[in-house]
Amino acid sequence: MADPTITQKAADNIRVLSAAMVEKASSGHPGGAMGGADFMHILFTEYMNYDPQDTAWPFRDRFFLDPGHMSAMLYSQLHLLGHYSTEDLENFRQWGSPTPGHPEIDVARGVENTSGPLGQGHTFGIGAAIAERFLAHRFGEWTAHKTYIYISDGGIQEEIAQGAGRTAGYLGLGNVVMFYDANDIQLSSEVSEVMDEDTGKKYEAWGWHVQTIEGNDPDAIRKALDAAVAETDRPSLIIGKTIMGKGAVTEEGESFERQVSTHGKPLSGAGASFEKTVKALGGDPDNPFAVFPEVAAFYEEVKTEKHAYAEQKRTEQEAWASNNPELAAKLEQYLNRDLPEIDWAGIKQKPDQATRNASGAVLSHLADHLDNMIVASADLSNSDKTDAFLKKTTSFVKGDFSGAFLQAGVSELTMAALCTGMALHGGVIPVCATFFVFSDFMKPTIRLAALMEQPVIFIWTHDAFRVGEDGPTHQPIEQEAQIRLLEHLQNHSGRNSFTALRPADVDETTVAWQLALENTHGPSGLILSRQDIKSLPANGSRYEAAKAAEKGAYIVQKEEGGNPDLILVGNGSEVATLIEGAKLLREKKKLKVRVVSAPSEGLFRNQPISYQLDVLPYDVPTYGLTAGLPVTLRGLVGPLGEVAGLDHFGESAPYTVLDEKFGFTAERVYEGAVSYLEDFE
């Protein structure tokens, strides 16, 4: 056990650094960081296993911060470990600084996840813990490691906490240790004004091991962590009753602890004295970013010990690899996210099927050839066709992670965050499925997955009003437009932050799956039909023709004889309707008509401008058809083009009736195109 004097000085040093960062930036949240410093110091020096010289070591313990507003606390802790410079801390929340106001994933500096939107960070951690159990089952307990999570009152209150807590308890994730910083203070009020639940009983009901301690007492922290680490059959929750703004004092030297104002304001703006607080904590008000000499010396010892532990584990791994060369090669493949050779052309697709069925055929094939893929469904596996994968594996249950399927239950946001956490952990390829309309529940995590550039694959079936009798609550209208906005948003690597793929038939679905799996720089979404779709025409192999979908948009049916008079463009179910409409336009109006399928505008805009103009030239009248909002195709038809779509919610009726009523027939395509051309002229 560390010297109590050093323990206190190190925690106080974290408090001073955290307060100084916020004070200099005139922006941030010092109170919670000051309260959590004791736990952070003890956790990172005495309990967590990691390699300070290799922060990406695959078998390190993970630390997931849920309350991103407490970033100053994390940066200060990692500064003591040498991952952030003094200058980095001094430039907290400034342009170009690696210390933003809420942490963004930066594994090289020890930051495991982007956090800020409360509730998601700890759910990422639980997803990572699932990935750890999946890998440990396949390669042995020598790979085992803990997932430590830090959560606050806000994270506990966010609805996603229910799904995360239920899932971790049900699966018996004994590798999870979560510290609940229960300081009774929120941003604008005390917690007592918001809730009076017994949080411990709630987590116990979910099957967690729960302890309540004085969260600033080093001995209590150690005792609780000892018990949590020893608990292997249940996730552990440590409710730490911490002191908001611990150590803060006024100009007169009186305590300014437990004040709501210190949650989200610099100490000097909250009513405390920054200088007097720094001095009371053992720091120098004129040099508040200094690391106390004895603390610096102690952390040098810690870094040496942590690296030595990691080296010992690497020696164990080398011995294991020597005795298990085939497994070792597979583990390396998993960790590098190297895909095996997949015979995409060999996946048998029945023509004229729903694209959700086609996705099921792909999943069935991948179940036999992609051993590290984990598939989750929000209680819809028989409808979203992930059951084709499930039939070849088993669902996760407590104590048994031999399968590769997560029954997430009716909790789409939780499922999305769990899968994103799996991706953050690495070694697995996460896929999750639900109805497209329920992507509304998932958007907060889709956005963070895009920001963190995590290759999560989302399957969304029942993609349009053709859900039919289920009625407007289940019929996506505006969802595609919302999702496709992310195709216009660049991530920090300068790439499309999301890839949305709405295939037009079964063979395009196979190609879309390949594109999603090979997209390693961000999430992808497959938007699939419930109803059958007639396969598109092709000269020769339809699959070979559909491979052109990898460019985002391509010509499905070329005009005959000279330049086109009209281009019809769409994606998904509507392309087959455009094919039939084009036939009428040729027969009745003798027009030269081109039909374009555009499953992903984002991928299309990544192509050379010469290709884009070859497919959709600006000077040719272009008419689009979409089952969603017309804006979905507005960028493809051009400023002089026209899009037929919906500007209203759906209705309850068989989809064939809705096609007729809403104008999604060959005849209506013909009429709409003719009217458009007349206006165009």
Side-chain angles (χ1 to χ4, degrees):
M1 185 180 295
D3 181 342
T5 302
I6 289 294
T7 299
Q8 186 65 53
K9 282 185 173 294
D12 285 344
N13 209 160
I14 292 172
R15 286 186 249 278
V16 171
L17 292 170
S18 299
M21 294 169 71
V22 176
E23 195 73 23
K24 188 173 188 300
S26 297
S27 174
H29 303 73
M34 297 172 74
D38 304 278
F39 178 82
M40 290 291 285
H41 164 70
I42 291 171
L43 176 67
F44 273 80
T45 58
E46 299 178 33
Y47 288 87
M48 281 186 66
N49 295 313
Y50 52 89
D51 186 352
Q53 297 181 29
D54 180 10
T55 53
W57 177 43
F59 308 111
R60 67 193 181 277
D61 290 341
R62 272 38 171 206
F63 176 78
F64 283 85
L65 181 69
D66 190 293
H69 60 271
M70 293 172 68
S71 61
M73 177 184 72
L74 180 59
Y75 299 144
S76 297
Q77 177 65 68
L78 295 175
H79 172 60
L80 296 181
L81 289 166
H83 300 321
Y84 287 91
S85 68
T86 301
E87 183 181 9
D88 293 335
L89 269 57
E90 290 175 335
N91 287 315
F92 178 58
R93 291 189 168 218
Q94 305 308 304
W95 174 262
S97 169
T99 51
H102 292 79
E104 295 177 21
I105 182 172
D106 190 347
V107 174
R109 289 187 172 92
V111 180
E112 298 283 0
N113 68 300
T114 295
S115 61
L118 294 173
Q120 293 195 66
H122 83 291
T123 312
F124 295 155
I126 291 169
I130 292 173
E132 186 269 355
R133 288 292 82 200
F134 177 92
L135 294 171
H137 177 87
R138 285 150 179 80
F139 301 104
E141 286 298 321
W142 68 267
T143 67
H145 47 274
K146 292 288 186 181
T147 300
Y148 293 98
I149 300 171
Y150 195 107
I151 196 170
S152 65
D153 294 300
I156 289 288
Q157 291 166 24
E158 282 287 357
E159 292 87 341
I160 192 174
Q162 173 171 313
R166 169 181 55 78
T167 302
Y170 174 75
L171 293 177
L173 295 177
N175 55 346
V176 168
V177 177
M178 184 160 73
F179 181 75
Y180 169 23
D181 182 4
N183 58 37
D184 298 326
I185 302 294
Q186 302 196 175
L187 180 64
S188 64
S189 70
E190 295 190 13
V191 172
S192 60
E193 298 177 46
V194 177
M195 68 178 192
D196 61 358
E197 68 173 22
D198 188 328
T199 301
K201 291 294 185 185
K202 180 172 69 175
Y203 276 84
E204 286 177 355
W206 286 328
W208 287 59
H209 168 234
V210 178
Q211 305 171 79
T212 300
I213 65 170
E214 291 299 320
N216 297 111
D217 181 339
D219 291 337
I221 292 170
R222 292 186 181 102
K223 183 178 179 180
L225 280 169
D226 286 341
V229 169
E231 175 60 61
T232 58
D233 293 330
R234 295 176 293 172
S236 288
L237 176 69
I238 301 170
I239 301 176
K241 304 299 293 184
T242 58
I243 298 173
M244 169 68 77
K246 181 170 175 56
V249 297
T250 65
E251 190 66 34
E252 293 73 30
E254 297 177 354
S255 173
F256 199 76
E257 297 175 337
R258 302 186 188 279
Q259 298 299 312
V260 172
S261 59
T262 64
H263 183 290
K265 291 181 180 180
L267 292 182
S268 61
S273 167
F274 171 72
E275 290 78 10
K276 292 291 179 64
T277 297
V278 170
K279 188 173 183 179
L281 290 170
D284 179 359
D286 295 325
N287 187 19
F289 289 97
V291 176
F292 305 161
E294 57 268 64
V295 173
F298 176 74
Y299 267 86
E300 286 303 313
E301 295 176 4
V302 168
K303 288 190 285 185
T304 299
E305 292 171 1
K306 297 299 183 183
H307 177 66
Y309 174 85
E311 287 291 275
Q312 175 190 336
K313 295 298 288 185
R314 289 188 181 95
T315 300
E316 292 179 23
Q317 181 180 353
E318 289 172 3
W320 171 85
S322 178
N323 294 325
N324 301 275
E326 291 184 4
L327 274 179
K330 179 173 284 191
L331 176 59
E332 184 176 2
Q333 175 192 327
Y334 285 10
L335 295 175
N336 292 335
R337 205 183 184 279
D338 294 332
L339 297 177
E341 289 294 326
I342 297 173
D343 181 14
W344 296 102
I347 298 176
K348 302 300 181 185
Q349 295 286 11
K350 295 180 180 179
D352 306 329
Q353 294 280 303
T355 52
R356 65 167 173 164
N357 294 347
S359 175
V362 175
L363 283 166
S364 179
H365 183 85
L366 294 177
D368 295 328
H369 298 88
L370 193 56
D371 298 338
N372 64 328
M373 189 165 77
I374 297 175
V375 177
S377 178
D379 192 41
L380 290 168
S381 60
N382 55 342
S383 289
D384 57 35
K385 299 307 176 183
T386 54
D387 61 353
F389 185 89
L390 178 56
K391 288 173 183 176
K392 295 189 174 183
T393 186
T394 56
S395 298
F396 297 144
V397 294
K398 183 176 182 179
D400 185 359
F401 288 81
S402 59
F405 199 92
L406 174 63
Q407 292 284 14
V410 186
S411 52
E412 291 84 359
L413 174 58
T414 299
M415 176 178 69
L418 291 173
C419 286
T420 302
M422 295 178 201
L424 287 167
H425 180 280
V428 300
I429 297 172
V431 177
C432 59
T434 187
F435 290 174
F436 191 31
V437 75
F438 301 143
S439 65
D440 282 349
F441 289 122
M442 310 167 86
K443 287 189 177 71
T445 290
I446 296 168
R447 181 174 182 270
L448 279 186
L451 178 60
M452 294 188 291
E453 304 181 24
Q454 295 303 302
V456 182
I457 298 175
F458 297 91
I459 299 174
W460 293 307
T461 67
H462 297 55
D463 67 342
F465 64 82
R466 298 180 183 91
V467 175
E469 295 89 340
D470 278 346
T473 61
H474 281 48
Q475 294 174 16
I477 304 297
E478 74 280 15
Q479 279 74 16
E480 186 179 354
Q482 294 171 351
I483 286 295
R484 288 196 183 278
L485 285 174
L486 287 171
E487 290 195 302
H488 295 269
L489 188 66
Q490 300 291 292
N491 60 31
H492 287 157
S493 296
R495 303 172 182 267
N496 300 347
S497 69
F498 190 86
T499 300
L501 298 154
R502 187 167 178 242
D505 67 1
V506 295
D507 292 292
E508 264 193 32
T509 304
T510 299
V511 176
W513 255 108
Q514 181 177 359
L515 291 169
L517 270 178
E518 293 177 353
N519 175 18
T520 60
H521 56 262
S524 303
L526 297 155
I527 306 169
L528 308 170
S529 76
R530 175 202 188 195
Q531 83 290 349
D532 291 341
I533 302 174
K534 187 174 178 59
S535 292
L536 302 182
N539 293 322
S541 165
R542 170 60 195 143
Y543 170 74
E544 289 299 322
K547 286 168 68 174
E550 67 185 12
K551 295 184 176 180
Y554 68 106
I555 300 171
V556 172
Q557 199 171 59
K558 191 170 177 60
E559 65 283 356
E560 294 183 3
N563 295 324
D565 300 310
L566 174 68
I567 297 174
L568 302 179
V569 61
N571 57 45
S573 312
E574 290 80 81
V575 180
T577 305
L578 291 175
I579 292 288
E580 295 301 316
K583 181 179 179 181
L584 294 179
L585 288 164
R586 296 186 191 103
E587 291 175 353
K588 295 184 178 183
K589 291 294 185 178
K590 310 303 179 187
L591 294 174
K592 296 188 288 292
V593 183
R594 174 185 298 182
V595 180
V596 171
S597 175
S600 170
E601 182 180 358
L603 291 179
F604 180 60
R605 295 308 181 196
N606 291 344
Q607 305 307 315
I609 192 67
S610 58
Y611 177 80
Q612 295 182 43
L613 293 176
D614 282 344
V615 176
L616 292 173
Y618 294 145
D619 57 351
V620 177
T622 304
Y623 184 82
L625 180 67
T626 175
L629 293 170
V631 69
T632 305
L633 294 179
R634 178 56 58 192
L636 292 171
V637 301
L640 301 179
E642 184 172 311
V643 181
L646 295 180
D647 60 1
H648 56 79
F649 290 115
E651 298 285 352
S652 182
Y655 82 87
T656 51
V657 173
L658 294 178
D659 271 340
E660 184 67 37
K661 297 294 185 182
F662 291 165
F664 288 79
T665 64
E667 291 75 16
R668 292 290 286 275
V669 170
Y670 168 80
E671 294 168 2
V674 169
S675 176
Y676 160 63
L677 288 174
E678 290 174 350
D679 292 340
F680 189 86
E681 294 173 358

